[in-house]
Amino acid sequence: MNTISDVPTAPGGLPGVGHLHRLARHRLRFLESLRQVGPLVRIRLGTAPVYVVTDPALVHQVQSSKGRSFGRGKQFQRMVPLLGHGVITSDGELYHRQRRTIQKAFTPAHVERHLVTIHRQAEKLCASWEEGRPVDVLHAMKGLSVAVTAETLFSGRMTEQVLSQLSRVLPVVEKAAVERPMMPKVVDRLPLPFVRRGDEAMARMRAVVEEAVAACRGRAPRSEGDMVACLLAARDPDTGRPLSDDLVCDEVIAMLIGGVANVPATLAWAWFHLALRPGAEERMLTEIGGSADAPLTTADLNRLPYTRAVMYETMRLHSVQLVTQRTTAAVELGGVMLPCGTDTAYSQHSLHTDPRFCPRPAVFSPERWLPGSGWEPARHAFVPFGGGRFKCVGDNFACAEMMATLAAVGGRWRLRRPPGVRVGVSVREPIPSPTGLSLVPRHR
């Protein structure tokens, strides 16, 4: 049995800053390089060591088979001052109580009802586009997700003015939630512009949410899927008391962030790849046909295998950069005994683009997900929503939203890439997002 001191350290660290400079400059390339060092690799964030797991079998142990020995990591603890104690950041028994409450809004029956909302909002978005007028696709997808998530939470009680405010502040909060955990805690107290922007955006979002939650108290829910109504009706199993307003607001903020952080980026990348591969776009649009004229059901989505393959392939290529967890007890991992309190991490992006498990990993190929392709992801090597007890509680809803949006938009528009447009990558969101992605709508 090896000790933690036997774990190899990633090359390129500098005194005082460790590997922060490599994460800042070439984050995805650096994370991909770690699998060449070993299944468990030490990196340093400043002077603090983090042990990155690069082998999918070991990642599965962290998530599931040995998951009881792992809690939330430093990344999530550093988010608490920004996001509060919602399901994204909480741990232990509080997390399990919150998860049980929230799951009530993501049952198959609720997801089925939410498909009507997704279709209506996507129709509204499509109607706002003009033939030949370029569209900032990421911005459009973020606005759509804000509207869908807010209606799911509040059953349409939020006004257009409130939705507009949320659309402005959510991206700022999202960036702060990714950047701040990578930095020393003292940064939170420094009068730096990006710290001030994050704090101000969070204060504004909390004020909007508090006002919306207060307005919901005493009112009957407008649908059985009204998530805020579920939270307001929930009772603490130990005391029988209702959840405090602060905790309800924390949960709403967590679900807003969860609803708009990753789905828009994935959808934007999907349109980017389809614009580069007209054959793939044509195959998806042919499959959709005229099915997007009315809200799709779950059964309808299950009859769109190529559209689902487009979604899976986009999630494979564009995944969460880094997820941290901390050992809550001494645990053996890959032949190494990790002491209690050890910070670990894994990269979904690196797992999904590992050439050991996926041929031509940089190529967008939805066909690889279809039956008869001769390929399937190695066990535990495709985990777009995480796994184990911390797996995303809204994974089924997210998949339904992405597929229904692809169908609704693709049923009306083709999105073309104009000549000379150069698309960059921002690593300031959980899933690296496209920058400068302007596509031109053309009627089908």
Side-chain angles (χ1 to χ4, degrees):
M1 180 71 67
N2 292 323
T3 67
I4 200 168
S5 61
D6 297 315
V7 175
T9 299
L14 296 176
V17 299
H19 297 91
L20 284 173
H21 67 296
R22 299 198 65 186
L23 285 165
R25 294 178 183 174
H26 306 289
R27 185 173 302 173
L28 299 183
R29 195 184 312 165
F30 173 63
L31 293 173
E32 291 170 359
S33 73
L34 298 181
R35 57 193 177 221
Q36 300 170 10
V37 181
L40 194 61
V41 183
R42 182 190 299 107
I43 66 172
R44 294 189 181 278
L45 304 182
T47 58
V50 176
Y51 295 83
V52 181
V53 186
T54 66
D55 180 82
L58 297 184
V59 170
H60 175 69
Q61 291 182 28
V62 172
Q63 293 175 333
S64 299
S65 61
K66 297 182 179 180
R68 291 184 179 277
S69 297
F70 290 87
R72 294 291 198 190
K74 181 185 297 185
Q75 170 193 24
F76 298 97
Q77 294 170 353
R78 292 277 282 108
M79 290 182 190
V80 170
L82 271 174
L83 306 184
H85 295 275
V87 72
I88 288 180
T89 58
S90 62
D91 203 349
E93 182 55 33
L94 173 61
Y95 168 77
H96 291 296
R97 290 203 302 268
Q98 292 169 317
R99 186 181 178 92
R100 286 194 296 270
T101 299
I102 290 170
Q103 279 178 323
K104 296 175 183 177
F106 295 113
T107 63
H110 287 148
V111 171
E112 193 79 46
R113 282 192 288 270
H114 295 326
L115 286 172
V116 177
T117 296
I118 296 166
H119 179 82
R120 182 172 61 254
Q121 295 293 347
E123 285 272 277
K124 186 176 179 180
L125 175 67
C126 287
S128 71
W129 292 353
E130 298 177 16
E131 171 91 15
R133 184 175 182 179
V135 170
D136 182 327
V137 179
L138 180 63
H139 178 75
M141 294 299 106
K142 280 184 177 291
L144 176 60
S145 284
V146 169
V148 167
T149 303
E151 184 161 349
T152 300
L153 289 168
F154 293 96
S155 298
R157 288 190 175 101
M158 281 194 170
T159 66
E160 289 294 331
Q161 182 180 6
V162 172
L163 289 176
S164 177
Q165 291 182 55
L166 286 175
S167 295
R168 287 195 297 271
V169 300
L170 272 167
V172 182
V173 174
E174 187 183 334
K175 289 179 174 62
V178 172
E179 293 176 335
R180 301 265 276 272
M182 294 285 188
M183 302 177 184
K185 195 171 182 179
V186 67
V187 169
D188 290 345
R189 300 192 296 271
L190 298 178
L192 301 173
F194 76 92
V195 173
R196 186 173 64 253
R197 284 194 298 270
D199 290 344
E200 290 173 351
M202 187 63 238
R204 184 59 196 148
M205 183 165 76
R206 181 165 287 277
V208 169
V209 169
E210 286 176 349
E211 185 176 345
V213 169
C216 288
R217 280 206 178 274
R219 295 183 184 177
R222 293 187 180 179
S223 79
E224 293 180 30
D226 190 327
M227 188 61 237
V228 172
C230 290
L231 290 170
L232 292 174
R235 294 295 181 268
D236 188 298
D238 298 325
T239 66
R241 295 176 181 173
L243 303 182
S244 69
D245 281 359
D246 283 345
L247 189 53
V248 171
C249 289
D250 286 350
E251 293 298 355
V252 172
I253 288 169
M255 284 182 283
L256 282 169
I257 294 292
V260 304
N262 297 338
V263 166
T266 303
L267 286 168
W269 281 122
W271 296 120
F272 167 79
H273 288 295
L274 291 168
L276 293 182
R277 273 203 59 191
E281 180 198 45
E282 186 61 37
R283 186 168 179 178
M284 187 186 82
L285 298 187
T286 299
E287 178 180 83
I288 293 168
S291 63
D293 292 338
L296 299 181
T297 65
T298 302
D300 294 329
L301 297 181
N302 290 336
R303 290 191 287 268
L304 301 175
Y306 194 78
T307 306
R308 186 174 298 275
V310 167
M311 177 184 69
Y312 281 159
E313 183 69 347
T314 307
M315 288 194 293
R316 185 190 65 78
L317 282 168
H318 307 281
S319 310
V320 172
Q321 303 169 60
L322 203 64
V323 179
T324 65
Q325 291 190 238
R326 176 174 290 172
T327 59
T328 56
V331 60
E332 180 272 330
L333 191 67
V336 176
M337 183 57 69
L338 302 180
C340 179
T342 300
D343 286 309
T344 67
Y346 69 92
S347 169
Q348 293 175 0
H349 167 82
S350 183
L351 286 179
H352 297 170
T353 56
D354 191 330
R356 296 175 296 176
F357 311 115
C358 183
R360 301 181 303 142
V363 175
F364 176 75
S365 177
E367 292 75 13
R368 74 172 88 232
W369 295 93
L370 299 177
S373 70
W375 176 85
E376 61 179 352
R379 195 177 184 196
H380 313 311
F382 183 62
V383 286
F385 296 101
R389 61 197 181 102
F390 291 129
K391 184 180 182 182
C392 174
V393 68
D395 55 343
N396 291 333
F397 177 77
C399 286
E401 181 181 351
M402 287 187 282
M403 286 195 64
T405 301
L406 288 171
V409 176
R412 288 152 185 77
W413 297 102
R414 297 175 186 270
L415 295 177
R416 293 286 182 249
R417 187 183 183 190
V421 170
R422 305 186 70 174
V423 177
V425 180
S426 169
V427 295
R428 299 178 67 190
E429 292 83 25
I431 291 179
S433 60
T435 60
L437 179 55
S438 181
L439 300 180
V440 179
R442 299 292 182 190
H443 284 297
R444 288 189 60 181

mmCIF file of all heavy atoms in Angstrom, residues 45-72:
data_model
loop_
_atom_site.group_PDB
_atom_site.id
_atom_site.type_symbol
_atom_site.label_atom_id
_atom_site.label_comp_id
_atom_site.label_asym_id
_atom_site.label_seq_id
_atom_site.Cartn_x
_atom_site.Cartn_y
_atom_site.Cartn_z
ATOM 1 N N LEU A 45 -2.869 24.041 -6.071
ATOM 2 C CA LEU A 45 -3.552 25.312 -6.266
ATOM 3 C C LEU A 45 -2.953 26.271 -5.251
ATOM 4 O O LEU A 45 -3.312 26.252 -4.077
ATOM 5 C CB LEU A 45 -5.057 25.158 -6.071
ATOM 6 C CG LEU A 45 -5.750 24.112 -6.957
ATOM 7 C CD1 LEU A 45 -7.249 24.096 -6.691
ATOM 8 C CD2 LEU A 45 -5.460 24.352 -8.422
ATOM 9 N N GLY A 46 -1.997 27.076 -5.692
ATOM 10 C CA GLY A 46 -1.172 27.817 -4.750
ATOM 11 C C GLY A 46 -0.265 26.808 -4.063
ATOM 12 O O GLY A 46 0.518 26.119 -4.709
ATOM 13 N N THR A 47 -0.387 26.710 -2.759
ATOM 14 C CA THR A 47 0.402 25.715 -2.023
ATOM 15 C C THR A 47 -0.449 24.515 -1.601
ATOM 16 O O THR A 47 0.066 23.574 -1.007
ATOM 17 C CB THR A 47 1.021 26.363 -0.765
ATOM 18 O OG1 THR A 47 -0.025 26.889 0.063
ATOM 19 C CG2 THR A 47 1.976 27.487 -1.146
ATOM 20 N N ALA A 48 -1.749 24.547 -1.891
ATOM 21 C CA ALA A 48 -2.645 23.476 -1.449
ATOM 22 C C ALA A 48 -2.646 22.333 -2.460
ATOM 23 O O ALA A 48 -2.917 22.551 -3.644
ATOM 24 C CB ALA A 48 -4.059 24.015 -1.267
ATOM 25 N N PRO A 49 -2.379 21.107 -2.011
ATOM 26 C CA PRO A 49 -2.381 19.977 -2.944
ATOM 27 C C PRO A 49 -3.793 19.475 -3.227
ATOM 28 O O PRO A 49 -4.658 19.458 -2.344
ATOM 29 C CB PRO A 49 -1.571 18.915 -2.193
ATOM 30 C CG PRO A 49 -1.802 19.218 -0.744
ATOM 31 C CD PRO A 49 -1.955 20.712 -0.654
ATOM 32 N N VAL A 50 -4.025 19.099 -4.467
ATOM 33 C CA VAL A 50 -5.268 18.456 -4.888
ATOM 34 C C VAL A 50 -4.866 17.225 -5.697
ATOM 35 O O VAL A 50 -3.995 17.303 -6.560
ATOM 36 C CB VAL A 50 -6.143 19.387 -5.741
ATOM 37 C CG1 VAL A 50 -7.383 18.660 -6.249
ATOM 38 C CG2 VAL A 50 -6.548 20.624 -4.952
ATOM 39 N N TYR A 51 -5.513 16.097 -5.422
ATOM 40 C CA TYR A 51 -5.146 14.836 -6.064
ATOM 41 C C TYR A 51 -6.191 14.521 -7.141
ATOM 42 O O TYR A 51 -7.351 14.217 -6.845
ATOM 43 C CB TYR A 51 -5.038 13.734 -5.017
ATOM 44 C CG TYR A 51 -3.897 14.021 -4.062
ATOM 45 C CD1 TYR A 51 -4.085 14.881 -2.969
ATOM 46 C CD2 TYR A 51 -2.630 13.502 -4.281
ATOM 47 C CE1 TYR A 51 -3.034 15.197 -2.123
ATOM 48 C CE2 TYR A 51 -1.573 13.816 -3.437
ATOM 49 C CZ TYR A 51 -1.786 14.665 -2.364
ATOM 50 O OH TYR A 51 -0.730 14.983 -1.531
ATOM 51 N N VAL A 52 -5.760 14.634 -8.400
ATOM 52 C CA VAL A 52 -6.666 14.491 -9.538
ATOM 53 C C VAL A 52 -6.724 13.028 -9.970
ATOM 54 O O VAL A 52 -5.686 12.404 -10.215
ATOM 55 C CB VAL A 52 -6.230 15.382 -10.710
ATOM 56 C CG1 VAL A 52 -7.210 15.236 -11.879
ATOM 57 C CG2 VAL A 52 -6.141 16.844 -10.271
ATOM 58 N N VAL A 53 -7.941 12.510 -10.069
ATOM 59 C CA VAL A 53 -8.168 11.123 -10.479
ATOM 60 C C VAL A 53 -8.414 11.107 -11.978
ATOM 61 O O VAL A 53 -9.326 11.786 -12.468
ATOM 62 C CB VAL A 53 -9.373 10.520 -9.734
ATOM 63 C CG1 VAL A 53 -9.524 9.045 -10.041
ATOM 64 C CG2 VAL A 53 -9.249 10.745 -8.230
ATOM 65 N N THR A 54 -7.618 10.351 -12.729
ATOM 66 C CA THR A 54 -7.729 10.352 -14.186
ATOM 67 C C THR A 54 -8.249 9.037 -14.742
ATOM 68 O O THR A 54 -8.512 8.948 -15.944
ATOM 69 C CB THR A 54 -6.362 10.639 -14.836
ATOM 70 O OG1 THR A 54 -5.463 9.554 -14.561
ATOM 71 C CG2 THR A 54 -5.757 11.935 -14.303
ATOM 72 N N ASP A 55 -8.384 8.018 -13.904
ATOM 73 C CA ASP A 55 -8.845 6.716 -14.361
ATOM 74 C C ASP A 55 -10.341 6.575 -14.089
ATOM 75 O O ASP A 55 -10.787 6.803 -12.960
ATOM 76 C CB ASP A 55 -8.078 5.605 -13.638
ATOM 77 C CG ASP A 55 -8.511 4.230 -14.083
ATOM 78 O OD1 ASP A 55 -8.020 3.766 -15.139
ATOM 79 O OD2 ASP A 55 -9.345 3.616 -13.402
ATOM 80 N N PRO A 56 -11.169 6.220 -15.104
ATOM 81 C CA PRO A 56 -12.617 6.166 -14.890
ATOM 82 C C PRO A 56 -13.054 5.179 -13.810
ATOM 83 O O PRO A 56 -14.033 5.424 -13.107
ATOM 84 C CB PRO A 56 -13.171 5.763 -16.262
ATOM 85 C CG PRO A 56 -12.018 5.249 -17.041
ATOM 86 C CD PRO A 56 -10.808 5.929 -16.503
ATOM 87 N N ALA A 57 -12.326 4.061 -13.651
ATOM 88 C CA ALA A 57 -12.693 3.096 -12.603
ATOM 89 C C ALA A 57 -12.499 3.711 -11.222
ATOM 90 O O ALA A 57 -13.310 3.490 -10.313
ATOM 91 C CB ALA A 57 -11.857 1.823 -12.743
ATOM 92 N N LEU A 58 -11.447 4.511 -11.061
ATOM 93 C CA LEU A 58 -11.218 5.171 -9.775
ATOM 94 C C LEU A 58 -12.215 6.307 -9.556
ATOM 95 O O LEU A 58 -12.653 6.556 -8.430
ATOM 96 C CB LEU A 58 -9.788 5.692 -9.695
ATOM 97 C CG LEU A 58 -8.660 4.643 -9.745
ATOM 98 C CD1 LEU A 58 -7.305 5.303 -9.552
ATOM 99 C CD2 LEU A 58 -8.890 3.570 -8.684
ATOM 100 N N VAL A 59 -12.566 7.011 -10.641
ATOM 101 C CA VAL A 59 -13.600 8.048 -10.521
ATOM 102 C C VAL A 59 -14.900 7.433 -10.036
ATOM 103 O O VAL A 59 -15.591 7.983 -9.177
ATOM 104 C CB VAL A 59 -13.807 8.771 -11.875
ATOM 105 C CG1 VAL A 59 -15.042 9.681 -11.814
ATOM 106 C CG2 VAL A 59 -12.576 9.585 -12.240
ATOM 107 N N HIS A 60 -15.237 6.265 -10.551
ATOM 108 C CA HIS A 60 -16.446 5.573 -10.105
ATOM 109 C C HIS A 60 -16.373 5.233 -8.616
ATOM 110 O O HIS A 60 -17.372 5.329 -7.903
ATOM 111 C CB HIS A 60 -16.646 4.287 -10.919
ATOM 112 C CG HIS A 60 -17.800 3.459 -10.452
ATOM 113 N ND1 HIS A 60 -19.109 3.860 -10.592
ATOM 114 C CD2 HIS A 60 -17.847 2.252 -9.815
ATOM 115 C CE1 HIS A 60 -19.913 2.949 -10.092
ATOM 116 N NE2 HIS A 60 -19.184 1.967 -9.604
ATOM 117 N N GLN A 61 -15.192 4.859 -8.143
ATOM 118 C CA GLN A 61 -15.048 4.572 -6.711
ATOM 119 C C GLN A 61 -15.301 5.826 -5.884
ATOM 120 O O GLN A 61 -15.971 5.772 -4.837
ATOM 121 C CB GLN A 61 -13.653 4.012 -6.421
ATOM 122 C CG GLN A 61 -13.409 2.612 -6.971
ATOM 123 C CD GLN A 61 -12.035 2.087 -6.621
ATOM 124 O OE1 GLN A 61 -11.452 2.461 -5.612
ATOM 125 N NE2 GLN A 61 -11.500 1.212 -7.467
ATOM 126 N N VAL A 62 -14.773 6.957 -6.343
ATOM 127 C CA VAL A 62 -14.997 8.220 -5.631
ATOM 128 C C VAL A 62 -16.483 8.559 -5.617
ATOM 129 O O VAL A 62 -17.034 8.991 -4.600
ATOM 130 C CB VAL A 62 -14.189 9.356 -6.291
ATOM 131 C CG1 VAL A 62 -14.567 10.710 -5.681
ATOM 132 C CG2 VAL A 62 -12.688 9.107 -6.133
ATOM 133 N N GLN A 63 -17.156 8.354 -6.761
ATOM 134 C CA GLN A 63 -18.563 8.724 -6.866
ATOM 135 C C GLN A 63 -19.487 7.755 -6.148
ATOM 136 O O GLN A 63 -20.453 8.166 -5.514
ATOM 137 C CB GLN A 63 -18.967 8.779 -8.345
ATOM 138 C CG GLN A 63 -18.306 9.876 -9.147
ATOM 139 C CD GLN A 63 -18.673 9.785 -10.617
ATOM 140 O OE1 GLN A 63 -18.980 8.703 -11.131
ATOM 141 N NE2 GLN A 63 -18.639 10.906 -11.301
ATOM 142 N N SER A 64 -19.194 6.455 -6.259
ATOM 143 C CA SER A 64 -20.194 5.463 -5.862
ATOM 144 C C SER A 64 -19.702 4.432 -4.865
ATOM 145 O O SER A 64 -20.074 4.461 -3.692
ATOM 146 C CB SER A 64 -20.732 4.755 -7.121
ATOM 147 O OG SER A 64 -21.340 5.681 -7.994
ATOM 148 N N SER A 65 -18.828 3.513 -5.306
ATOM 149 C CA SER A 65 -18.526 2.357 -4.457
ATOM 150 C C SER A 65 -17.830 2.746 -3.156
ATOM 151 O O SER A 65 -17.989 2.078 -2.135
ATOM 152 C CB SER A 65 -17.679 1.340 -5.239
ATOM 153 O OG SER A 65 -16.446 1.894 -5.638
ATOM 154 N N LYS A 66 -17.065 3.847 -3.166
ATOM 155 C CA LYS A 66 -16.449 4.346 -1.939
ATOM 156 C C LYS A 66 -16.932 5.766 -1.628
ATOM 157 O O LYS A 66 -16.288 6.512 -0.895
ATOM 158 C CB LYS A 66 -14.924 4.321 -2.062
ATOM 159 C CG LYS A 66 -14.370 2.897 -2.241
ATOM 160 C CD LYS A 66 -12.852 2.874 -2.311
ATOM 161 C CE LYS A 66 -12.354 1.430 -2.469
ATOM 162 N NZ LYS A 66 -10.877 1.339 -2.544
ATOM 163 N N GLY A 67 -18.095 6.103 -2.192
ATOM 164 C CA GLY A 67 -18.601 7.467 -2.088
ATOM 165 C C GLY A 67 -18.882 7.932 -0.678
ATOM 166 O O GLY A 67 -18.846 9.138 -0.400
ATOM 167 N N ARG A 68 -19.159 6.994 0.241
ATOM 168 C CA ARG A 68 -19.427 7.408 1.626
ATOM 169 C C ARG A 68 -18.200 8.016 2.292
ATOM 170 O O ARG A 68 -18.322 8.666 3.331
ATOM 171 C CB ARG A 68 -19.921 6.208 2.432
ATOM 172 C CG ARG A 68 -21.304 5.729 2.038
ATOM 173 C CD ARG A 68 -21.777 4.605 2.939
ATOM 174 N NE ARG A 68 -23.109 4.156 2.576
ATOM 175 C CZ ARG A 68 -24.233 4.734 2.974
ATOM 176 N NH1 ARG A 68 -24.175 5.783 3.777
ATOM 177 N NH2 ARG A 68 -25.412 4.263 2.602
ATOM 178 N N SER A 69 -17.028 7.779 1.726
ATOM 179 C CA SER A 69 -15.797 8.343 2.289
ATOM 180 C C SER A 69 -15.416 9.664 1.638
ATOM 181 O O SER A 69 -14.331 10.198 1.911
ATOM 182 C CB SER A 69 -14.637 7.344 2.126
ATOM 183 O OG SER A 69 -14.889 6.158 2.843
ATOM 184 N N PHE A 70 -16.302 10.191 0.774
ATOM 185 C CA PHE A 70 -16.019 11.454 0.090
ATOM 186 C C PHE A 70 -17.196 12.407 0.256
ATOM 187 O O PHE A 70 -18.362 12.019 0.087
ATOM 188 C CB PHE A 70 -15.787 11.216 -1.410
ATOM 189 C CG PHE A 70 -14.507 10.490 -1.716
ATOM 190 C CD1 PHE A 70 -14.469 9.103 -1.717
ATOM 191 C CD2 PHE A 70 -13.345 11.189 -2.005
ATOM 192 C CE1 PHE A 70 -13.299 8.416 -2.003
ATOM 193 C CE2 PHE A 70 -12.167 10.517 -2.291
ATOM 194 C CZ PHE A 70 -12.150 9.124 -2.282
ATOM 195 N N GLY A 71 -16.894 13.652 0.599
ATOM 196 C CA GLY A 71 -17.912 14.690 0.688
ATOM 197 C C GLY A 71 -17.615 15.777 -0.327
ATOM 198 O O GLY A 71 -16.780 15.623 -1.214
ATOM 199 N N ARG A 72 -18.336 16.863 -0.220
ATOM 200 C CA ARG A 72 -18.086 18.000 -1.099
ATOM 201 C C ARG A 72 -16.648 18.486 -0.932
ATOM 202 O O ARG A 72 -16.101 18.499 0.172
ATOM 203 C CB ARG A 72 -19.023 19.152 -0.754
ATOM 204 C CG ARG A 72 -20.480 18.891 -1.027
ATOM 205 C CD ARG A 72 -20.792 18.812 -2.498
ATOM 206 N NE ARG A 72 -22.221 18.977 -2.761
ATOM 207 C CZ ARG A 72 -22.788 18.764 -3.928
ATOM 208 N NH1 ARG A 72 -22.061 18.354 -4.956
ATOM 209 N NH2 ARG A 72 -24.096 18.953 -4.089
#
